[in-house]
Amino acid sequence: MSGPVLSLRGVSKRFGGVRALVDVDADVHEHEVLAVVGDNGAGKSTLAGVLAGAHRPDAGQVLLDGRPVLLDSPAVARSLGIAAVFQELALVDDLDVVENVFLGHETVRGPLLDEVAMEREAWRLLDQLAASVPEVREPVRTLSGGQRQVVAVARALLGSPRVVVLDEPTASLGVRQTAEVLNLIVRLRERGHAVVLVSHQAGDLQAVADRILVLRLGRVHDVFDGDASYEDLLAAMTGAVRPGAPHRRGQR
Amino acid sequence: MSAQPGGTGLPGAVWQRVRIGTGLLPIVAALVGIWLVLGAINPAFLAPENLVNLTLQSAPVGVIALGVVLVLLVGEIDLSVGSLSGLAAAVVAVGSVTLGWPVALAIGVALACGVVVGLGYGALSTRLGLPSFVFTLAGLLFLAGVQLRVLGPLGSINLPFESWFVRSVQQGFLPAGVAWALVVAVVVASAAGQLAARARRRRADLACASVPQVAVRTFVLAAVLSLVVAYLYLGSARGIGYSVVLFALLVVVTDVLLRRTRWGRSVRAVGGDRRAAMLAGVPVRRTVVLCFVACSTLAALGGVLAAGRLGAANQGTGGADTYLVAIAAAVIGGTSLFGGRGSAWSAVLGVLVIQSIANGLTLMNVDQAARYMVTGAVLLLAIVIDMLMRKRREA
């Protein structure tokens, strides 16, 4: 396997007195789903935010293809091929599906928007995700939770980013919709994207993750292979140590 | 289930048009209703001469309301538009009369004042994160003070009647032939644009409007424009004033900017959900600053037009209820106070509603007190409707 696309080296981030991330190392490869799990407050969303350019680390480096990069804003990360789907999805309810997918990256034809090209591309992205969005000119407010998730992912895929960061994509979804989103993630991996999947639902992740990074109190507690047992993950997340865990690599 | 471009049901583009259309339809109906009632009470209201007056009264405050629409769309407000318009009027009068500048230069300086104030507001909003309600309230007082200082001890300065500026605002009207030529040009351009868009969508295999739909829309547009022009040039009526032409042009340009450009899309996104827009990579700060600048500049332009219409600038120009009328007009016209939803056309419709009521009640010799109360009631109604629609959407 080639080297990692995106790496964190010794990344720390604090919010006031709270140490959200402490000296975190992580690597993301193409054709791979890296899951990040942890209990509430373990620093998962902060880690996603650092990768996506929403948070700037206080210390440490973000490396893209081995070279340090400065991710100032989601727009900068985006331009470097790192797209994120945030927990709150960041969709504008009053805008329709096409407008949301292209928000901030609209196609223009001369001085005016090229609605035809955008509508076609939106259909192409949604088809590629085998999405069940019936109509792209309806405000996203009218869509179901799963459909909104699909729209947010479609937006992330615009311009074929190399890394897709998904923050808690299944948190607000039902059983069937969760399965749809997990299918979507497998499809992203098959298409060669590097996927970072942040979740606290350890059970969901085992289905799709190639590697599972466990955060606890802002530190990387452990990295498991994708077939780690539920008990091991739970133990690592909560700190209830289970001696002799088989997949433990003893990173730290 | 696979997504089919142009699947069953009404095609997307058509729905979008319908949505935009239905947004403005209630207010158009209300306007027609108001005209019928006022005309029934006093037929003089519907006389072409009076309606020409109505358009001339509406243009200056309409230009201000257009700017207010932009700040409301981005989720902010500007309470100082009245004071700023008064200051702009004072700058034009003092510059061109007292200081002897060419009128064009004085107008340019007045508009530049608007740009500077808008940049200041933009900085206060995006850099310091202050609420616009508060700093534009401060601006309202501050600019009113500057206006008085600029006017000096006299308090009122008359513009020379023979200057091209006053003449064109007060007595400049499109010749009937030109007005009709414009109607034809607009209708042809609209039909051609719709057919071209239809052809492109068809080639791209997307849902598109049918030819009868295009024909109906074109016919309605032609009928409305012809009716307006025919009526305003009827008998001794003077027709369409240059200031009205300027207002209409600004509305059309703003409408295209809002609906068909990246900037317009950013405005709606920032007003709809600022954090989501920021995360999606929309340049939020730039969008907000530009809206403040556009609003202040349009407010200054409205003040310039008011000075031209009055032939003078005094301490009352842009004072009293100007800013309330401009903001009320934008809201009555259907632009949401909560940001994200609205249209350039709401400035036109809202101003026509308010000025129709004012004009009609004046014709009936009803006093200022009743005028305020009726306008207040209409504004309340508009806000209630806005709130109810918002609730229903979120339900």
Side-chain angles (χ1 to χ4, degrees), chain A residues 5 23 60 129 133 137 163 172 181 205 213-214 227 245:
Chain A
V5 186
D23 198 20
L129 299 172
V133 176
R137 286 300 179 182
V163 183
S172 60
V181 169
L205 303 184
L213 185 148
V214 180
D227 52 359

Side-chain angles (χ1 to χ4, degrees), chain A residues 207-220:
Chain A
V208 295
D210 296 303
R211 285 186 306 135
I212 302 177
L213 185 148
V214 180
L215 279 179
R216 185 140 64 87
L217 300 175
R219 293 176 187 276
V220 178

Side-chain angles (χ1 to χ4, degrees), chain A residues 88 104 113 115 120 123, chain B residues 3 19 204 260 262 265 275:
Chain A
E88 66 265 47
L113 295 170
E115 297 286 355
R120 273 186 74 87
W123 278 119
Chain B
R19 282 211 313 273
R260 305 285 304 276
R262 296 193 63 183
R265 182 99 0 128
R275 184 172 159 73

Side-chain angles (χ1 to χ4, degrees), chain B residues 31-57:
Chain B
L31 185 59
V32 171
I34 289 169
W35 283 352
L36 291 180
V37 170
L38 290 173
I41 297 171
N42 187 346
F45 174 77
L46 286 180
E49 290 83 358
N50 189 52
L51 291 188
V52 167
N53 274 339
L54 181 64
T55 60
L56 294 175
Q57 287 159 359

Side-chain angles (χ1 to χ4, degrees), chain A residues 25 54 66 95-96 119 132 142 161 173 179 199 244:
Chain A
D25 292 343
L95 299 187
D96 66 32
E119 201 167 322
S132 59
T142 62
L173 300 183
S199 179

Side-chain angles (χ1 to χ4, degrees), chain A:
Chain A
M1 187 185 268
S2 58
V5 186
L6 191 62
S7 310
L8 299 183
R9 288 289 171 266
V11 164
S12 297
K13 173 78 185 171
R14 57 165 70 231
F15 296 105
V18 181
R19 307 209 298 173
L21 291 178
V22 184
D23 198 20
V24 168
D25 292 343
D27 292 309
V28 193
H29 300 268
E30 283 178 350
H31 282 288
E32 182 195 63
V33 177
L34 172 70
V36 177
V37 297
D39 204 354
N40 287 347
K44 305 184 298 292
S45 287
T46 310
L47 182 64
V50 168
L51 289 172
H55 298 310
R56 248 166 101 169
D58 301 324
Q61 282 187 319
V62 182
L63 306 176
L64 186 69
D65 291 324
R67 283 187 301 277
V69 286
L70 189 61
L71 304 177
D72 271 24
S73 71
V76 171
R78 179 88 199 218
S79 67
L80 292 171
I82 306 163
V85 179
F86 296 98
Q87 191 169 353
E88 66 265 47
L89 297 186
L91 299 177
V92 179
D93 280 348
D94 281 325
L95 299 187
D96 66 32
V97 175
V98 178
E99 290 171 333
N100 264 294
V101 167
F102 283 86
L103 189 57
H105 306 89
E106 292 87 356
T107 313
V108 289
R109 193 165 166 254
L112 299 181
L113 295 170
D114 189 345
E115 297 286 355
V116 174
M118 287 194 282
E119 201 167 322
R120 273 186 74 87
E121 177 68 6
W123 278 119
R124 198 185 65 76
L125 288 168
L126 293 172
D127 277 342
Q128 186 180 306
L129 299 172
S132 59
V133 176
E135 175 52 75
V136 293
R137 286 300 179 182
E138 286 290 308
V140 296
R141 165 183 357 103
T142 62
L143 302 181
S144 72
Q147 290 171 335
R148 293 167 63 90
Q149 195 76 48
V150 165
V151 173
V153 173
R155 170 203 277 170
L157 293 186
L158 192 67
S160 266
R162 299 169 67 196
V163 183
V164 180
V165 180
L166 300 154
D167 189 5
E168 298 278 8
T170 61
S172 60
L173 300 183
V175 176
R176 207 175 69 89
Q177 291 175 335
T178 300
E180 273 178 27
V181 169
L182 294 179
N183 278 334
L184 200 68
I185 290 166
V186 171
R187 247 172 263 134
L188 291 182
R189 174 177 58 195
E190 282 167 2
R191 292 169 40 79
H193 297 285
V195 181
V196 178
L197 173 60
V198 174
S199 179
H200 67 271
Q201 284 156 327
D204 288 349
L205 303 184
Q206 291 172 299
V208 295
D210 296 303
R211 285 186 306 135
I212 302 177
L213 185 148
V214 180
L215 279 179
R216 185 140 64 87
L217 300 175
R219 293 176 187 276
V220 178
H221 186 74
D222 223 331
V223 179
F224 291 95
D225 286 332
D227 52 359
S229 76
Y230 186 67
E231 288 75 17
D232 288 332
L233 283 177
L234 216 56
M237 280 164 70
T238 57
V241 183
R242 184 174 158 228
H247 297 288
R248 207 162 163 154
R249 286 183 188 165
Q251 271 218 344
R252 120 186 6 249

